[in-house]
Amino acid sequence: MRWLAHVTVATIVEDQGRFLLVEEISADNKPVFNQPAGHLEANESLIEAAMRETLEETGWDVELTAVTGIYLYTAPSNGVTYQRICFSARPLRHHPERALDDGILGAHWLTRDELATQPGRWRSHLVLRCIDDYLEGERFPLSLIRDPSLTR
């Protein structure tokens, strides 16, 4: 059997103590919260993927500011291992007229405490873990990502 990790990106978007979260339908057909997140596509940089996924899932243009962390997660539902590169960002512009990706019920601004009271609605434990890492000051420069779209 050939093992492959799936590369994903996620974005922590914070504005005045509230975090931009996506409410989406899980594989078992339940509404769950997640950061704007998704898979890296062919010929796409990690930076491009994070900005694209955030826009497609929330209707928000963002400016990436740092790398919050790199995480490994094996989903108990299917045994697939995901490598998540989590970025932090600031919101720039909302496009409320923009249609969101299929399976997205909506975008919500929640505080850490509002999210923490609903563990049964997290896509995975990484949802709160990434926010907690961000709140603890975990910020690595974007130059950590050796990405041709970044200029020196």
Side-chain angles (χ1 to χ4, degrees):
M1 181 168 103
R2 188 171 155 202
W3 179 86
L4 296 172
H6 295 253
V7 178
T8 63
V9 294
T11 308
I12 302 289
V13 183
E14 188 262 342
D15 187 35
Q16 299 179 17
R18 299 179 81 78
F19 295 91
L20 182 60
L21 294 161
V22 172
E23 186 178 17
E24 60 189 357
I25 298 297
S26 68
D28 57 352
N29 210 29
K30 295 180 183 173
V32 294
F33 288 120
N34 197 8
Q35 277 85 29
H39 292 265
L40 179 67
E41 294 182 356
N43 302 313
E44 182 177 51
S45 74
L46 293 166
I47 302 289
E48 292 166 340
M51 294 186 340
R52 174 187 53 77
E53 287 289 353
T54 303
L55 178 61
E56 289 176 353
E57 293 189 354
T58 69
W60 277 91
D61 288 320
V62 298
E63 177 187 0
L64 299 182
T65 57
V67 176
T68 303
I70 300 171
Y71 308 83
L72 280 180
Y73 172 72
T74 301
S77 61
N78 60 13
V80 173
T81 299
Y82 299 91
Q83 180 183 39
R84 174 188 259 220
I85 296 88
C86 187
F87 295 90
S88 60
R90 75 175 121 259
L92 296 177
R93 182 169 180 242
H94 187 223
H95 304 274
E97 74 288 350
R98 185 180 173 91
L100 304 181
D101 275 356
D102 287 341
I104 303 294
L105 300 175
H108 305 280
W109 291 93
L110 299 175
T111 66
R112 186 246 182 241
D113 291 342
E114 289 169 335
L115 181 64
T117 64
Q118 304 177 66
R121 297 208 50 212
W122 305 342
R123 174 83 180 233
S124 78
H125 75 280
L126 289 180
V127 176
L128 194 64
R129 169 73 191 273
C130 290
I131 288 174
D132 285 345
D133 286 350
Y134 170 86
L135 290 172
E136 289 171 11
E138 294 291 344
R139 309 270 199 308
F140 302 93
L142 290 173
S143 62
L144 176 70
I145 307 296
R146 299 298 186 205
D147 188 326
S149 70
L150 296 176
T151 58
R152 290 186 181 238

